[in-house]
Amino acid sequence: MIRNDGPFWDLVEREHKRARAYCLRLTLNPDEGDDLYMDSIMKAHRGFAQIKDVERFRPWLYQIINNNYIGRSRDSWWRRVFAGPIEGETFEPGSDPSGEYEAKRRLEFAFTALSADDRIIVTLAELDGWKISEIAQLTSKSEGTIKMRLSRARDKMRRRLSSVYRKSTAGNTDEGTEDLCYVIKPEQD
């Protein structure tokens, strides 16, 4: 990252690693994540003069990233680039000894069931560890709405994974379905 003594760059430097990692997790693609991050930083730099409270820089930056991501996902070209796995693709359990590749593929496939807005909420809550109250403030929605959307998004992801997993293990009963738990954790009361 280029070092500059301006207040904008000082604030960006504090959030750089987390914001870039967030972009990578949203897109599930290193090149597209970096593009999303750089486009968002450029938009934030242009609009920095309008920010009234620098203490709100983090949510303001993430809102720019979210809006940029949603705009890209609505673009038909972006949808073709981020098409995800082919519909009906099946997974071979145990094909990767480490399991990391398998978990990533399952997560990518499960994410295809979600809208861009839901993907943002799941990524912030599950992968980045944001609190429900922080997500509610960022998205200007109530905490109850965020909890409901998060629960529904998890259900969509579980259904997507369950249907594919059952197809790939035709003839087997629920053997191995516990593997899905480490990809999407269930609601905890």
Side-chain angles (χ1 to χ4, degrees):
M1 174 174 263
I2 297 173
R3 179 81 175 136
N4 188 324
D5 293 335
F8 174 79
W9 295 110
D10 291 339
L11 293 168
V12 167
E13 189 171 2
R14 282 189 231 153
E15 287 299 318
H16 167 71
K17 286 183 180 177
R18 286 183 295 226
R20 183 173 173 268
Y22 174 64
C23 291
L24 295 174
R25 284 189 288 270
L26 271 179
T27 61
L28 301 172
N29 179 310
D31 294 332
E32 296 302 327
D34 284 340
D35 286 348
L36 175 64
Y37 177 71
M38 290 309 298
D39 288 348
S40 299
I41 292 297
M42 290 186 328
K43 286 180 181 181
H45 187 262
R46 284 192 298 264
F48 185 67
Q50 281 86 30
I51 192 169
K52 293 176 175 67
D53 182 8
V54 292
E55 295 300 316
R56 302 253 325 123
F57 179 78
R58 181 179 183 221
W60 177 75
L61 177 62
Y62 276 74
Q63 187 62 54
I64 290 171
I65 291 169
N66 291 343
N67 290 342
N68 204 5
Y69 173 72
I70 290 169
R72 286 174 173 232
S73 67
R74 288 182 179 151
D75 181 30
S76 62
W77 177 84
W78 181 257
R79 277 191 211 141
R80 285 194 308 273
V81 170
F82 188 74
I86 299 168
E87 191 66 40
E89 180 179 14
T90 60
F91 300 104
E92 294 292 327
S95 61
D96 181 54
S98 70
E100 291 177 22
Y101 177 76
E102 182 71 19
K104 184 177 188 270
R105 295 289 294 160
R106 287 182 182 200
L107 184 60
E108 287 174 356
F109 188 74
F111 262 27
T112 62
L114 302 179
S115 68
D117 289 333
D118 287 344
R119 194 177 293 184
I120 287 168
I121 291 170
V122 169
T123 302
L124 287 172
E126 301 296 340
L127 303 178
D128 284 356
W130 283 44
K131 296 177 183 171
I132 297 294
S133 59
E134 293 174 322
I135 298 170
Q137 186 178 15
L138 176 69
T139 60
S140 301
K141 293 179 176 31
S142 72
E143 287 185 32
T145 300
I146 297 300
K147 288 177 182 178
M148 176 191 65
R149 290 187 63 190
L150 188 56
S151 176
R152 288 180 180 171
R154 287 176 182 146
D155 287 343
K156 285 180 189 176
M157 293 173 74
R158 273 191 213 100
R159 282 194 305 272
R160 174 67 57 98
L161 285 174
S162 293
S163 67
V164 170
Y165 188 79
R166 283 190 192 110
K167 287 179 190 173
S168 68
T169 58
N172 294 347
T173 55
D174 285 337
E175 179 183 321
T177 54
E178 66 277 354
D179 292 343
L180 300 177
C181 297
Y182 76 92
V183 178
I184 304 168
K185 57 185 173 184
E187 286 284 330
Q188 295 180 4
D189 297 315

